[in-house]
Structure formats: structure tokens, C-alpha cells
Amino acid sequence: MLRKIRIALAAVFFICITGLFLDITGVWQSIFGWMAKLQFLPAVMGLSIVPILIVLVLTLIMGRFYCSVICPMGVFQDVVAWISRKFKKKNPYSYSKPKTWLRLAVLVLFIILVVTGFNGIAILVAPYSAYGRMVNNLLQPLYIMANNALAGVAAENESYTFWAVDPHLFVAPLLIVAAITFLIIVVLACIGGRTYCNTICPVGTVLGYVAKFSWFKPYIEVSKCKNCMKCSKNCKASAIDIKGGMVIDYTRCVACGNCLEECKFGALHFGHPTAAARIKPEKPAKVTKDTSAEKVDTNLRSMLTTAVVLGASAAIKAQEMKVDGGLAVIEDKKMPVRQTKILPPGAISASNLASKCTGCQLCVSNCPNGVLRPSTDLKTFMQPFSSYENGYCRPECNRCSEVCPAGAIKPISKEEKSSIQVGHAVWQPDNCIVITDGAECGNCARHCPVGAITMVPQDADDQFSPRIPAVNEERCIGCGACENLCPSRPLSAIHVEGHLVHKHI
């Protein structure tokens, strides 16, 4: 029963957290967003005390409950392992000695990289972030394609139940990282179950050593054990050593309950181990062979989606070519070379974002305006920044600040966002059609939501000379409406330069 409850809870967390990365409406986030904020590493990097305490208290009470239920990467490995077991022999696992040196080496290296500011490299092994990148880069393109196909069918039937959304930009380095991560996790899970959790994952290492002191845990009543080895052969954490003294390595045990269900002699229990249960009998029990038929594993994990396993790389253009009046093709806008990247409102500063961002890409997945994208620079790898080729950062939208679980983007209200200056607009006369074509425009001034751009005569002494934009940098908030809506192609005649530290105006 305990195992089935654990599987049901794990299924709920897994499906809901996956949905957070696929959500295009914002409704999913409003209901299940707290699950992302309960992830341990983002909470630690964001110094969110309540989630940290919740996870630690759960670990001290029930062992690595977090790894078995709350962490989507842990549940994903269980799904892969469960599927792989359908195609190979039963009882596929065996006890292996803990690779303590490797676990501690990865943890120490992870800490050093975070402390020295190389978060982009460190978070490659962060479980929640790695899972988010897989969903965002491998599964979300397929999800959006399916959604847009349904939207097309709905439109033909004059229904607005579904609506088409623009796919995110194809970023080759991120896709490669996601694909490699996916392959590594799948291979390790097929071969050894929770190998990633117990040898690589820094969160698993930390919580594993906390779990040694948990009050409730699976334990062996040695007087009843018949040395059948079925518990050890079904332990996906390779943590049960029957031959070496009937002991369980609680730093690796994820309290999944598989061993409890496999034991036919009542020797395994989940609770607080008693001294009497740990006393070995004077004579070792004889080895007996259990010839009873294996039960087919038809537990509730069959309800879990296997779509993640079928994820494949997809290269989708972010914006289709459009035709102006059926005569001329309009070029796609190109990203200008900025001296300073534009950081999302709520990031506060480049240093705050760098120190707390886990690169999970939840903000990128949830940006309704197509503004946020992950960085490919080595030091800020996978951290979000803004660019305005496909849209602009609307003052009334604060979605990224609502979804960030790590505090890298602080929660801000819609009213507060309108006063945050993430950058300022810069006019480029060489690209402006007023200068190059002698045409009247003023698009940037008309669409500026804060009135920071005015059109002034090019010649101050001639009021009838062509009018060009003048930017009030003190008033500009860097939203990018001017850059996005500028008719110049491929580079806009006005673009936004970011600020390393955001200002309030």
C-alpha cells in the first residue's frame, strides 16, 4: 500500500511539473507553480528557507522521499527503468559498493563552480534543471506542433478552444545539451535504475547523507530473512547488501518500496528500526530458492506518460516569412550586437541572476511574448536574457517573475514592472528609413508605452526637416516595443542596450 501511495504521488508531481514547462496559458502555473518552488537546488540557490526546511524535514522523517516523489528527474528515471524492465529479465539489479569518492568529487566540484560564478557549467548536473531543459528543448516543440495543429482544425470549425502559438527559437547548443542529457539519463536508468541519483546528482548526495538519520526507513528483520536476494535484485538504487551483513545503504536508498513488495517472508519493514530486529540469529539462515511466480508489475506507474521518452530533437523556425501585399518578402529581424545583455525584469542585476539561476528554462518556456531565450555564453550558459526580434516585453506581463523557483527573477507586480528600467533605447541613424529612404515614420514614438521617444526635426533650425526619434534615457524602461515594431530590416533602427544593474524610475 505504501508503495502504491508513493507511486501515485510521484505520478502527480511528475505530470504537473512537466505541465509547467509545456503550459502556454498560464493556468497550469497558477495552480501547480508551488511544485517548482519546492525543488531543492533552486530553493538553496535562492535561499528560500521554507522549501529547504520542508525537504530536509521530509528527509529526516522518511528518507529520500524528495528523490522518489518530488524530483521530476528521479521519477523520470523510474519511468525509463520500468519500461526497460519490460524488455529484459526480471530481477535486473544487484548490490554494488557505493562510489563515495565519485559522489563527493562531483559535489565538491559543483560547489566550487557555483562559488566561482560558473553556474552555467555546474547546473549541467542539477536534476530539476536538467529535466526542465529536456522538456523545453525536446518535448515542447512537439507539444506546440500538436497544439497548433489542433488550433488549425478548430479555426476551420470556427472554434477558439485552441489557438496557435509561435514556437521558441531553435538554439543548437541547448538542443545538443538536452539531447546528450536525455541519452545519458536513459542509458543509466536502463542499465542501473537510479545510477544518476546515487553517483552524479549533487542533490542526491546531500540528501543521501541526511537520510542516514531518518526516523522511518526500510529495514531488514534478520531473523526472518531467508537470503533469497529478491530485495537486492529489485533495488533500483543497488543499496541492499544481503551477503555483506543484511544491511541497507541509506545514503542511496530512495524509499521506493520495491523491496518491501518483493519480500515474501515478512523480513522487510518500513518504520523505525528496533534493536531486536537488527540482531542476527546465532546460525545463519539457509539459502532457499523462491520458486513462486513473479507478479507482473502492473502498478500505477503505467499511468505515467511515456511521451518524454519519445522526445526527439526538432528544429522549428520561430517566425514564418510573411509577404507584404503579395509583392515583396519581408526579411526576418536579426538580433543586434548589444554591449550589455538585457536581463528580465525582476533579475535585479547580472550578479544576482548569475548567482541564483539554475538554468531550468521555466521562464523561457512560459514567456508569452517570445522574448526570453537561454544564453549560449560559457559563463552565463543557459541563463535567460531578453531580445526583441519576435516580440517585446509588455509592461503588463510579469510571468517570468512568477514562475522562477530560485529567486533569480524576483516576484514583481505588474505595477512595479512599469517602473523597472532594464535598459535604454539607442537610435541607429544608418538603419533608419527617415535617413536612408527619406520616408516619414515615427513608429517607435507611437508605440512607446512610457512616452520616452519623441520625434524631433533632424535640423534644429528647420522645423520642416525630416523628423527623427529622440530618446529620453531617464524615462525609457527598455521594454523593446520600439525595437520590435521598427519597420527597418534586418536590423532595427533603434535597439535596446541592457543595464548590468536595473534601475527604478
Side-chain angles (χ1 to χ4, degrees):
M1 178 59 71
L2 288 175
R3 179 171 175 269
K4 291 182 178 180
I5 294 174
R6 193 273 304 172
I7 291 172
L9 289 174
V12 170
F13 270 88
F14 182 70
I15 293 171
C16 291
I17 291 176
T18 302
L20 291 176
F21 289 94
L22 302 177
D23 185 25
I24 59 176
T25 64
V27 175
W28 205 264
Q29 171 63 35
S30 64
I31 301 174
F32 303 111
W34 61 273
M35 292 185 177
K37 292 180 171 58
L38 198 57
Q39 300 303 311
F40 188 68
L41 185 59
V44 170
M45 297 188 72
L47 299 178
S48 301
I49 302 301
V50 173
I52 293 173
L53 290 177
I54 289 174
V55 173
L56 291 178
V57 169
L58 282 173
T59 305
L60 287 171
I61 294 175
M62 302 182 65
R64 289 175 62 177
F65 177 85
Y66 170 88
C67 300
S68 196
V69 172
I70 300 174
C71 176
M73 181 62 84
V75 181
F76 174 68
Q77 292 172 83
D78 288 347
V79 174
V80 175
W82 174 73
I83 294 173
S84 70
R85 287 182 64 177
K86 301 297 181 182
F87 302 97
K88 61 183 181 181
K89 67 177 183 178
K90 297 178 181 179
N91 305 329
Y93 309 121
S94 62
Y95 173 77
S96 63
K97 292 183 179 180
K99 296 177 176 59
T100 305
W101 65 270
L102 178 58
R103 299 168 71 187
L104 294 179
V106 173
L107 178 61
V108 170
L109 179 60
F110 177 85
I111 294 173
I112 290 174
L113 289 171
V114 170
V115 171
T116 55
F118 288 91
N119 287 23
I121 301 175
I123 58 180
L124 289 173
V125 296
Y128 168 73
S129 302
Y131 180 75
R133 290 190 292 272
M134 290 194 304
V135 175
N136 187 58
N137 290 280
L138 302 179
L139 183 58
Q140 192 186 62
L142 302 178
Y143 179 83
I144 291 179
M145 287 174 62
N147 173 82
N148 290 352
L150 290 173
V153 174
E156 290 179 359
N157 292 276
E158 298 183 353
S159 171
Y160 296 95
T161 305
F162 299 93
W163 62 91
V165 295
D166 291 330
H168 293 301
L169 289 177
F170 170 74
V171 183
L174 272 296
L175 179 62
I176 293 171
V177 169
I180 292 174
T181 303
F182 176 81
L183 291 174
I184 291 174
I185 296 298
V186 168
V187 170
L188 291 178
C190 288
I191 295 173
R194 286 296 190 107
T195 303
Y196 168 81
C197 289
N198 291 331
T199 56
I200 300 173
C201 177
V203 175
T205 300
V206 171
L207 295 183
Y209 285 104
V210 175
K212 289 180 66 175
F213 306 99
S214 63
W215 184 259
F216 296 109
K217 59 186 73 174
Y219 67 93
I220 303 171
E221 189 174 347
V222 295
S223 61
K224 294 183 179 180
C225 181
K226 306 301 181 182
N227 288 1
C228 71
M229 304 291 292
K230 290 190 69 176
C231 58
S232 180
K233 291 178 179 179
N234 284 275
C235 177
K236 59 194 176 190
S238 302
I240 303 178
D241 185 7
I242 297 297
K243 294 181 178 180
M246 299 184 186
V247 294
I248 299 175
D249 182 357
Y250 293 114
T251 67
R252 290 185 290 166
C253 173
V254 293
C256 66
N258 286 3
C259 57
L260 302 175
E261 190 164 289
E262 292 296 333
C263 183
K264 309 303 179 184
F265 305 104
L268 271 161
H269 309 278
F270 185 81
H272 182 61
T274 62
R278 292 194 296 267
I279 297 175
K280 296 182 181 180
E282 294 182 2
K283 295 182 179 180
K286 294 181 179 180
V287 177
T288 59
K289 187 175 182 180
D290 182 19
T291 57
S292 60
E294 294 279 345
K295 290 184 179 180
V296 179
D297 188 4
T298 57
N299 54 58
L300 296 180
R301 272 182 292 185
S302 60
M303 298 173 58
L304 298 179
T305 176
T306 59
V308 177
V309 183
L310 302 176
S313 59
I316 302 175
K317 289 188 65 179
Q319 184 176 351
E320 296 182 354
M321 300 296 284
K322 298 180 178 63
V323 176
D324 183 12
L327 299 175
V329 174
I330 299 178
E331 293 184 79
D332 286 337
K333 278 185 176 289
K334 293 183 179 179
M335 184 187 302
V337 177
R338 306 183 202 273
Q339 298 299 316
T340 306
K341 286 184 176 179
I342 308 166
L343 308 180
I348 300 177
S349 65
S351 60
N352 177 74
L353 184 68
S355 64
K356 295 180 180 179
C357 179
T358 64
C360 70
Q361 298 181 32
L362 187 58
C363 57
V364 176
S365 298
N366 279 266
C367 179
N369 305 308
V371 167
L372 290 181
R373 58 207 58 186
S375 171
T376 56
D377 293 345
L378 183 61
K379 195 165 184 177
T380 59
F381 194 47
M382 293 179 284
Q383 295 175 10
F385 70 97
S386 300
S387 199
Y388 303 131
E389 298 81 63
N390 299 319
Y392 64 94
C393 192
R394 297 179 181 273
E396 68 275 11
C397 175
N398 62 345
R399 181 84 68 83
C400 60
S401 77
E402 292 179 333
V403 303
C404 180
I409 305 176
K410 298 289 186 183
I412 55 174
S413 65
K414 296 177 181 179
E415 294 77 17
E416 185 180 6
K417 181 183 175 181
S418 298
S419 65
I420 295 177
Q421 188 182 61
V422 300
H424 64 275
V426 177
W427 180 53
Q428 300 289 337
D430 292 343
N431 298 332
C432 187
I433 63 173
V434 175
I435 304 298
T436 59
D437 299 345
E440 294 184 1
C441 184
N443 223 32
C444 51
R446 281 193 297 272
H447 292 94
C448 179
V450 294
I453 303 175
T454 55
M455 301 302 291
V456 300
Q458 183 179 9
D459 184 351
D461 297 326
D462 181 5
Q463 293 297 315
F464 297 100
S465 61
R467 303 182 79 79
I468 58 175
V471 180
N472 182 346
E473 293 186 8
E474 297 297 322
R475 196 168 184 176
C476 176
I477 60 174
C479 68
C482 55
E483 178 179 332
N484 175 252
L485 298 170
C486 176
S488 295
R489 295 290 193 281
L491 292 173
S492 295
I494 191 166
H495 76 271
V496 177
E497 284 291 339
H499 291 168
L500 290 175
V501 179
H502 291 175
K503 303 176 183 178
H504 283 268
I505 59 174

